[in-house]
Amino acid sequence: MNRFYFILLLFIFNIFYSQQESYSDFYKIKKKYENYSENDTTAFRFLKGYISLAKKEKDYPHLVEGYNDAIFYSSSADAKLKYADSTIFAAKLSGNTDLISDAYLRKGVVYYFNYKKYQSALQEYLKAYEYSKNSQNDFLKNAILYHMGVVKSYLGYDQEALIHFKKTQSHFQLKSTEKVHPNIIFNNKRGYYNSLHQMIVSYRKLSNYKAVDSLLGIGFQQTKNNKDFQQEYGYFLKEKGIHEYQKKNYRNSLSLLYESIKPITNINDFAWATVVYFYIGKSYLGLQDYPNAILHFNKVDSVFQKHNFILPELRENYELLINYYKKDNELKKELYYTKQLLKADSVISKDFSYLASTIHKKYDTEALTEEKERLEKATSWGIWIIVGLIILLIALTFALMIKYRNEKKIKANYIILEEKILNKSSTEIVTEKIKIKSSAEEKSGLSNLIINDLLLKLDNFEKKNEFIENGLTLNKLAIKFNTNSNYLSQVINEYKEVNFNRYLSELRINYITNKLYNDKVYLSYKIETLAEKCGIASRTNFSNLFQEINGIRPIDFIKKRNQDLENNQILQSHSA
């Protein structure tokens, strides 16, 4: 999966520079290391010279390419992340938005593939997306779309991820049939096969087995005997093996899954490797071959111990191990796997919060607490471990209760705010204006002529959204209105019934709230960007004002609005 990304994006730079540097010093240095294998640090013997030359000449596009190569040839995740940050820095110096977009995308892939930090990866992909909006590079745009889809799939947003993969599959398939350079065709085919694989995964998780069967046929037909796409063939083998398991064809499943292990482990894709081990174990279980089943379930646990990583669908791995050792009355092993299940739940809840709330948990908190009590009586040596686990369970339960209460409060406040947005009508505005004008004569201190003039200017100021101007002050607005600040302040205080700062804050927050509700583009913006869009300089000040005025944090409002749109989309697809 990472190989698809790196080949994909290295190709962008090869095309970008190939005609310009046929015999340049950069070209000569690159020729010395470009055929080295991924993660081969010996390439740095020459690569350091490439980077030094780019720095010396202040050639930022070539510096970006040098740092990109450093990501590719570094052997450790920490080194890759360091060079990813350097790539972003160099890309920004170049001023080329395509290079900046690509740099953020690369950093996201490092988080995703090397660290399994999916939420961090998605944040970087969103930054890449922002910079690619005005790009003419469809290749880059679809690479971003693909990787955003991959992370959404792992986070459990399968329906949303499927939309991404359908688009990238269609794009890469079309591009792979064009009469262009063979390297371009190769990369587009790789994009097509990877998108196809991810579509199969999404359909499987959505239980659309007819679609799974159809797409697997296409994948196998095009990659089975093609040596250039053995990695992709391995992914199709994996999914075919799982599909056969679901049809209870256990021996066919084992044959396919065993064949898939080599191409998947060759690229150190331990995420999919654990899925393969799990379904091999389940297939052996279907054949009642318990020793081999337990052997492969233990392999899943070994990966979890090494990487502190587990997919939600593999939670059952520990339920099966606990049941097995419970029947054999092996209390120590039962206790160990119960602890591992609790640890897995913690990881899943942190990285897969969306799935954690819906996945069926056979061993819920209450059942696990009972298990601890039983094991405590049976194993005197484990009493302190058990006490610790019970305390952990209580803490987790308490945390879940607080989370539930907060979510309930957020939902209620969101509904109130949504009704406020939807019920806002022109009748209210007209009535308010009539009320202001009718009460003008009762106010004292200023003439009606001045008051009405300033009220009209304020009305125009609000209609044209001039309040989103950065650095706007009472004095600046008074100058703009050809009046003095005392008059303006008095009119705002008396007729808007708030001071100037509060008046400005409410206009800005109401403006950005309506934008978030009615314009999906705003939902993808960072909080800093939203603050800037409505004229508020500080992220903290923006968040505090948003919550104070709307009764809900901006991040929670965005989350709820996205959920509403997603649910509406699902309903529309079902009714279509």
Side-chain angles (χ1 to χ4, degrees):
M1 208 172 300
N2 66 329
R3 195 174 298 273
F4 159 67
Y5 165 73
F6 282 113
I7 291 178
L8 212 92
L9 294 175
L10 282 170
F11 176 70
I12 293 172
F13 290 100
N14 289 338
I15 293 298
F16 188 78
Y17 296 116
S18 61
Q19 295 179 347
Q20 301 178 30
E21 58 175 21
S22 297
Y23 299 101
S24 69
D25 290 337
F26 290 106
Y27 174 81
K28 292 173 184 176
I29 297 173
K30 194 176 181 75
K31 288 294 290 181
K32 295 178 181 179
Y33 69 81
E34 65 180 357
N35 291 322
Y36 280 56
S37 299
E38 183 180 350
N39 301 328
D40 188 347
T41 56
T42 56
F44 279 86
R45 289 181 299 172
F46 309 108
L47 180 52
K48 286 180 179 178
Y50 189 102
I51 293 172
S52 295
L53 179 61
K55 287 181 177 179
K56 181 181 177 181
E57 296 188 2
K58 295 184 178 180
D59 188 333
Y60 299 121
H62 279 105
L63 184 58
V64 168
E65 188 176 6
Y67 284 137
N68 283 332
D69 289 344
I71 296 171
F72 188 76
Y73 293 115
S74 293
S75 59
S76 74
D78 288 346
K80 289 180 185 292
L81 189 60
K82 181 187 75 172
Y83 283 117
D85 284 327
S86 298
T87 304
I88 292 170
F89 178 75
K92 288 184 175 179
L93 289 176
S94 76
N96 186 316
T97 54
D98 277 5
L99 295 185
I100 299 171
S101 175
D102 176 67
Y104 277 118
L105 180 55
R106 288 172 184 270
K107 185 177 179 181
V109 171
V110 173
Y111 273 130
Y112 157 66
F113 193 84
N114 299 100
Y115 287 95
K116 296 302 178 204
K117 292 183 178 180
Y118 300 97
Q119 295 182 24
S120 297
L122 188 56
Q123 289 174 7
E124 300 304 318
Y125 295 157
L126 288 171
K127 292 174 187 176
Y129 171 73
E130 282 297 313
Y131 279 101
S132 72
K133 281 184 177 178
N134 297 320
S135 174
Q136 300 301 312
N137 192 329
D138 289 336
F139 201 86
L140 174 61
K141 285 185 174 182
N142 278 274
I144 293 169
L145 195 65
Y146 171 84
H147 285 287
M148 285 179 68
V150 168
V151 175
K152 287 182 179 180
S153 175
Y154 274 99
L155 289 173
Y157 299 100
D158 299 302
Q159 197 71 49
E160 189 176 339
L162 191 57
I163 295 170
H164 284 254
F165 299 135
K166 283 181 178 179
K167 288 179 180 177
T168 59
Q169 181 259 355
S170 177
H171 171 81
F172 290 127
Q173 183 181 28
L174 179 64
K175 291 295 182 181
S176 67
T177 61
E178 293 181 352
K179 294 182 179 180
V180 290
H181 192 281
N183 286 347
I184 299 177
I185 295 173
F186 173 80
N187 282 281
N188 280 307
K189 281 187 175 181
R190 175 148 277 176
Y192 167 62
Y193 294 140
N194 276 273
S195 298
L196 202 64
H197 165 241
Q198 289 293 344
M199 284 177 67
I200 293 169
V201 173
S202 295
Y203 278 127
R204 169 167 63 83
K205 289 160 76 176
L206 292 167
S207 301
N208 188 341
Y209 301 120
K210 185 177 180 181
V212 169
D213 204 41
S214 175
L215 294 179
L216 279 171
I218 296 170
F220 268 101
Q221 182 183 2
Q222 297 185 25
T223 61
K224 186 174 182 179
N225 296 312
N226 193 328
K227 64 179 182 179
D228 291 329
F229 297 106
Q230 286 305 290
Q231 173 189 327
E232 289 71 25
Y233 179 57
Y235 289 139
F236 293 132
L237 282 169
K238 164 183 66 73
E239 289 301 316
K240 180 66 173 175
I242 295 172
H243 195 47
E244 288 297 302
Y245 164 79
Q246 289 166 335
K247 294 191 289 186
K248 298 185 179 181
N249 297 328
Y250 301 127
R251 296 197 184 279
N252 288 345
S253 174
L254 286 170
S255 176
L256 291 160
L257 291 169
Y258 272 120
E259 191 179 352
S260 75
I261 291 175
K262 185 176 180 180
I264 290 175
T265 54
N266 277 348
I267 58 168
N268 194 31
D269 194 342
F270 61 85
W272 285 126
T274 57
V275 173
V276 173
Y277 297 144
F278 174 63
Y279 280 99
I280 288 176
K282 292 194 76 174
S283 295
Y284 275 124
L285 209 59
L287 295 171
Q288 297 186 342
D289 184 343
Y290 298 106
N292 273 319
I294 299 303
L295 174 69
H296 286 86
F297 292 150
N298 278 318
K299 285 188 176 183
V300 176
D301 181 57
S302 296
V303 175
F304 180 40
Q305 289 183 60
K306 183 177 180 181
H307 298 283
N308 197 36
F309 164 79
I310 189 167
L311 290 169
E313 69 176 300
L314 301 186
R315 188 183 188 279
E316 185 189 355
N317 188 79
Y318 289 106
E319 295 176 353
L320 293 169
L321 285 167
I322 291 168
N323 281 333
Y324 177 79
Y325 287 114
K326 183 188 290 185
K327 288 178 182 177
D328 278 10
N329 202 30
E330 293 191 43
L331 300 179
K332 289 183 180 180
K333 288 186 177 180
E334 184 186 349
L335 176 62
Y336 168 77
Y337 288 116
T338 302
K339 287 165 57 183
Q340 289 297 89
L341 176 57
L342 284 168
K343 185 179 176 183
D345 274 346
S346 176
V347 172
I348 291 170
S349 295
K350 181 179 178 182
D351 291 333
F352 299 90
S353 57
Y354 179 80
L355 280 180
S357 63
T358 57
I359 191 172
H360 173 67
K361 293 183 178 180
K362 183 178 178 182
Y363 284 83
D364 58 12
T365 302
E366 183 179 347
L368 287 172
T369 303
E370 291 174 358
E371 279 303 286
K372 300 301 148 310
E373 292 174 354
R374 185 183 66 80
L375 291 170
E376 182 180 12
K377 293 176 183 178
T379 56
S380 58
W381 60 266
I383 186 167
W384 291 110
I385 295 176
I386 296 166
V387 169
L389 289 171
I390 293 173
I391 292 171
L392 177 61
L393 283 169
I394 294 170
L396 286 173
T397 303
F398 185 68
L400 287 171
M401 287 173 62
I402 294 174
K403 182 180 178 183
Y404 172 75
R405 287 177 183 173
N406 288 339
E407 287 179 351
K408 189 175 179 180
K409 183 179 178 182
I410 288 167
K411 184 178 180 181
N413 288 339
Y414 174 81
I415 292 170
I416 293 169
L417 181 55
E418 183 178 39
E419 289 176 353
K420 178 182 172 183
I421 295 168
L422 295 174
N423 292 335
K424 187 79 173 174
S425 67
S426 59
T427 306
E428 291 178 83
I429 297 168
V430 171
T431 304
E432 185 181 350
K433 288 162 76 174
I434 292 169
K435 181 182 176 182
I436 288 169
K437 289 186 177 183
S438 66
S439 63
E441 297 174 1
E442 299 173 11
K443 303 289 179 178
S444 62
L446 297 176
S447 70
N448 286 344
L449 185 63
I450 293 174
I451 292 170
N452 284 327
D453 177 61
L454 289 177
L455 287 175
L456 285 172
K457 287 177 178 178
L458 285 170
D459 185 53
N460 192 50
F461 169 74
E462 294 172 15
K463 285 179 178 178
K464 292 184 177 180
N465 297 329
E466 293 176 0
F467 49 79
I468 66 173
E469 177 186 335
N470 287 318
L472 189 61
T473 64
L474 178 64
N475 287 333
K476 287 182 180 180
L477 189 59
I479 292 169
K480 188 178 290 188
F481 284 2
N482 293 318
T483 187
N484 66 61
S485 57
N486 289 332
Y487 287 179
L488 181 58
S489 177
Q490 186 175 345
V491 169
I492 291 173
N493 280 323
E494 291 182 355
Y495 297 100
K496 300 297 181 179
E497 298 181 347
V498 288
N499 63 34
F500 173 76
N501 288 334
R502 183 65 179 188
Y503 169 66
L504 201 59
S505 296
E506 288 184 359
L507 287 174
R508 288 170 168 174
I509 295 300
N510 289 338
Y511 167 81
I512 205 66
T513 303
N514 277 285
K515 285 291 186 183
L516 284 168
Y517 190 83
N518 295 302
D519 191 339
K520 288 192 290 186
V521 173
Y522 278 73
L523 295 172
S524 65
Y525 289 161
K526 297 184 297 183
I527 300 300
E528 292 91 340
T529 305
L530 293 172
E532 187 179 315
K533 290 281 185 185
C534 69
I536 298 175
S538 164
R539 169 197 169 103
T540 303
N541 191 31
F542 171 79
S543 295
N544 290 340
L545 284 170
F546 194 100
Q547 184 167 20
E548 182 182 340
I549 293 168
N550 288 332
I552 184 173
R553 294 187 306 160
I555 192 169
D556 292 325
F557 180 81
I558 291 167
K559 181 180 177 182
K560 295 296 293 181
R561 184 60 182 152
N562 275 322
Q563 288 175 353
D564 276 359
L565 292 172
E566 183 183 347
N567 291 336
N568 290 339
Q569 191 175 42
I570 292 171
L571 288 172
Q572 288 172 6
S573 65
H574 285 323
S575 62

